[in-house]
Amino acid sequence: MAKVIGIDLGTTNSAVAVVDAGFPMLLANQDGKRLTPSVVHFDTASHPSAIGEEAARMGLLEPAQTVYSVKRFMGRRFEEVTQQEKEVHYPLNGSKGQPIKVALKDRCMLPEEVAAEILKSLKKTAEIALECSIEKAVITVPAYFNDAQRQATMEAGRLAGLQVERIINEPTAAALAYGLNKLKDQARIAVYDLGGGTFDITILELNEGVFRVLSTQGNTCLGGDDLDQAILDHFLQIIGKEVELDVVLEEQGALPRLREAAQKAKIALSTQASTAVKLPFLGKDFHFNEEFTREQLEQIALPVIDRTRPHCVRAMHDAGLETVDLDQVLLVGGQTRMPLVRKRVNAYFKCSVFEETRGNVRLGDTFHTPDGPTLNTGQNPDEAVALGAAIQGAILSGEIKHMTLLDVTPLSLGIETFGGLMNVLIPRNSTIPIKAGEVFTTAVDRQEETLIHVLQGEREKAADNWSLGRFMIPFENAPKGVPRLGVQFEIDANGVLNVLARDIHTGNEQILEFKSVIDVEDATVTQMVESAVEHAMEDLESRHWIENSLKAKTLLKAVKQSVDECSDVLDAHYLASVLEASSKLEGVLARENTEKRSGDTNSLKSAIKNLDEITQELAHIQLDRMAASYLDQEQEP
Ligand code: AMP
């Protein structure tokens, strides 16, 4: 059975995991570390020369050639990226409407090309650890990632030589790693994810083993880095009191050393009450020696951490929930290892688990609500996402059975409608389970049955999509437009599609089941989406033409009938103008089988408009006639 690895492609750190003998586990890289900094260093010829920790070290010396936080730019256009996000140590370029690019010395790279280097290194880590070649992966993305960002992540995987079996949401992966899919039938979970550079809060609902995102909020420029900066500013203040600050700062490497020390101190204070910060020769003849306590850290950190609170409130509001409606709060992201973060999250969500304050620090507003959610700290917060991705990988490879998971429809589903067009009932990327329906009618008089042709795909014309199946549904005999046919599509948690068609008047119905419409090869999905994009203009043109030609045919038929009925009272000159407008429309319509250009649909529309306007008088004559014949009938004895 080919292994499917799970990858957490993070803004600050990335990780790779796999399920082995039924157990999910993180794989250590060549430095023996389970987290690989998401940093790529490029040499002077703009070739990737180091990934991970070594690249991060090179970043101190050659910042312009060292790319970090590239995830922020994936699948985004230049103007979509905020000025704050653009403040990185390496150059970026791009113009309005174009993707943002990393501008290396000799070449410009798309963010996904840089991310591919990180993925290649994680793939290698897995291959060395598992002693086999790895081709398939599940990669996680934030829940707020849009289609373009998800596509860019897929592309990064492809460039790294990986077949991306599935892109899944990070909070869903975390919930899987925490084993929450085994919770009671219905549960609501908040996933609080504070990493190095980003903060996300997502509210999930678990329903019979299937996760659904209820709301998601966050800040792409808020995380542990802001705490490091706040600590650094505190250190600079202390230094400034002792010596001339500029003199220290002009020393090469002083600032990066201080930043590194700030982060180390922050991490140490997650488990200790105080730490000694020692930086000999930070400036000329200046040594920085400082005892830094958790109490000091927490005072500095509190305002930064509390910037996450409004997002939590907003996410709960968007999900329409109160904190008592939540069952669990999960912690994800390295920064949530900090005790103060846990205390604050405890307070925001009024958790029932009370965390003892350690050291001398008391914040005073830690809640204890008996019926509040449980703050679940059972997993390493910076490992949970990759572990969850590996579990999803194992589900896909068949290594783990009897487990369902939130999924989305990879392609749109619908039925063929008048003129051979596809009418979408469930759009692509809809979360399953899902139910959707529409009411249709007949286009022909006295139609006794109609064909339900079930389609999957992104193209406008039915013939360009995949046919999943067809079935006939009988109708009560009635004039066109009178019958009402209800069509309902329902996809269950296992991806099984049930199509129900019902004659609303008679209640006569047919149901057809289609086995998993979800398990479509990613490459095939990509092909379909690409062809939809490639043919978007001509497809739209076809749709416009077909819709207007149906209108034209109906109008021509109605005009012919009116002319036949009223020919005796029509002025010859007026009749000639009606016939001329009709034949002009027929002439345009005759181009149906030739290759159409956009001008043809416009000609069709104006020929319809012309005939419609000219026949207004005819419509009035016919109405008068109908009214007169009705009155005659009334007066008959
Ligand atoms: P992530 O993006 O999830 O890898 O998180 C990285 C952030 O977590 C960085 O800002 C780290 O400094 C921070 N971090 C990692 N471990 C700890 C720890 N034990 N205590 C406090 N912060 C930590």
Side-chain angles (χ1 to χ4, degrees), residues 146-407:
N146 64 22
D147 207 41
Q149 291 168 299
R150 285 166 199 258
Q151 289 298 332
T153 308
M154 293 271 278
E155 178 61 8
R158 196 188 64 77
L159 293 171
L162 285 166
Q163 193 175 316
V164 183
E165 291 289 292
R166 198 66 51 97
I167 294 283
I168 66 166
N169 289 331
E170 287 162 9
T172 306
L176 261 186
Y178 273 88
L180 296 193
N181 50 311
K182 297 181 205 104
L183 273 183
K184 59 183 187 178
D185 277 356
Q186 264 213 323
R188 273 111 178 216
I189 304 145
V191 183
Y192 179 101
D193 181 352
L194 189 62
T198 57
F199 167 66
D200 300 317
I201 172 79
T202 307
I203 314 296
L204 294 176
E205 185 178 62
L206 173 69
N207 210 338
E208 293 176 11
V210 177
F211 291 102
R212 190 160 71 96
V213 175
L214 294 184
S215 67
T216 184
Q217 272 284 320
N219 185 336
T220 50
C221 288
L222 175 60
D225 297 349
D226 296 276
L227 293 179
D228 300 347
Q229 182 63 43
I231 302 165
L232 172 70
D233 291 342
H234 169 75
F235 288 168
L236 289 175
Q237 247 181 16
I238 297 171
I239 296 169
K241 281 182 194 153
E242 288 181 34
V243 287
E244 193 74 52
L245 196 56
D246 288 347
V247 176
V248 175
L249 291 184
E250 74 192 13
E251 199 69 26
Q252 216 208 348
L255 209 54
R257 280 179 72 200
L258 264 172
R259 192 181 298 279
E260 202 184 337
Q263 191 184 32
K264 274 195 177 144
K266 173 189 78 175
I267 292 175
L269 293 177
S270 286
T271 47
Q272 296 161 212
S274 78
T275 182
V277 184
K278 291 188 177 154
L279 293 169
F281 297 103
L282 185 66
K284 197 164 176 290
D285 301 329
F286 175 72
H287 314 292
F288 182 60
N289 284 324
E290 192 65 26
E291 196 61 25
F292 189 45
T293 67
R294 189 188 286 181
E295 191 171 356
Q296 285 171 307
L297 169 67
E298 295 195 339
Q299 267 168 11
I300 295 169
L302 187 63
V304 178
I305 296 167
D306 275 352
R307 282 171 56 202
T308 64
R309 185 178 201 156
H311 296 290
C312 298
V313 173
R314 184 68 205 268
M316 290 297 287
H317 173 266
D318 290 353
L321 299 180
E322 301 284 334
T323 51
V324 286
D325 300 325
L326 289 175
D327 295 270
Q328 301 235 350
V329 179
L330 302 189
L331 295 179
V332 178
Q335 197 52 61
T336 64
R337 286 178 183 268
M338 185 180 196
L340 180 67
V341 173
R342 298 185 172 198
K343 282 175 214 152
R344 298 307 293 155
V345 177
N346 227 326
Y348 305 158
F349 291 96
K350 303 185 176 69
C351 294
S352 56
V353 176
F354 180 78
E355 275 221 347
E356 280 299 317
T357 48
R358 268 171 260 162
N360 298 323
V361 185
R362 287 214 165 267
L363 282 147
D365 58 352
T366 311
F367 291 89
H368 181 197
T369 322
D371 49 359
T374 308
L375 183 71
N376 194 333
T377 53
Q379 283 284 344
N380 284 334
D382 34 17
E383 298 182 352
V385 171
L387 291 175
I391 294 172
Q392 167 73 90
I395 296 171
L396 292 174
S397 72
E399 194 165 347
I400 298 181
K401 294 198 170 66
H402 314 301
M403 214 154 122
T404 51
L405 175 66
L406 163 115
D407 241 320

Side-chain angles (χ1 to χ4, degrees), residues 53 69 84 96 128 139 146 174 194 300 313 331 349 360 380 397 447 451 507 509 530 542 544 572 594 597 623 629:
E53 238 163 64
S69 296
Q84 193 186 2
K96 197 161 179 276
I128 293 171
I139 306 181
N146 64 22
L194 189 62
I300 295 169
V313 173
L331 295 179
F349 291 96
N360 298 323
N380 284 334
S397 72
Q447 198 171 322
L451 176 76
E509 67 177 33
E530 276 172 4
S542 294
H544 286 157
T594 62
R597 297 173 309 276
L623 264 179
S629 99

Side-chain angles (χ1 to χ4, degrees), residues 352-474:
S352 56
V353 176
F354 180 78
E355 275 221 347
E356 280 299 317
T357 48
R358 268 171 260 162
N360 298 323
V361 185
R362 287 214 165 267
L363 282 147
D365 58 352
T366 311
F367 291 89
H368 181 197
T369 322
D371 49 359
T374 308
L375 183 71
N376 194 333
T377 53
Q379 283 284 344
N380 284 334
D382 34 17
E383 298 182 352
V385 171
L387 291 175
I391 294 172
Q392 167 73 90
I395 296 171
L396 292 174
S397 72
E399 194 165 347
I400 298 181
K401 294 198 170 66
H402 314 301
M403 214 154 122
T404 51
L405 175 66
L406 163 115
D407 241 320
V408 292
T409 50
L411 292 168
S412 302
L413 291 155
I415 61 167
E416 180 169 346
T417 174
F418 306 138
L421 290 173
M422 165 149 169
N423 187 314
V424 173
L425 276 108
I426 298 183
R428 167 176 142 74
N429 275 339
S430 301
T431 306
I432 63 161
I434 188 171
K435 204 191 268 188
E438 228 173 275
V439 175
F440 298 88
T441 187
T442 48
V444 181
D445 275 336
R446 309 279 156 215
Q447 198 171 322
E448 289 187 345
E449 57 178 7
T450 194
L451 176 76
I452 301 291
H453 184 193
V454 182
L455 301 163
Q456 184 169 35
E458 302 310 307
R459 305 288 302 272
E460 296 285 349
K461 284 199 281 185
D464 294 327
N465 290 310
W466 302 328
S467 169
L468 295 185
R470 302 161 201 255
F471 62 99
M472 300 298 290
I473 169 101

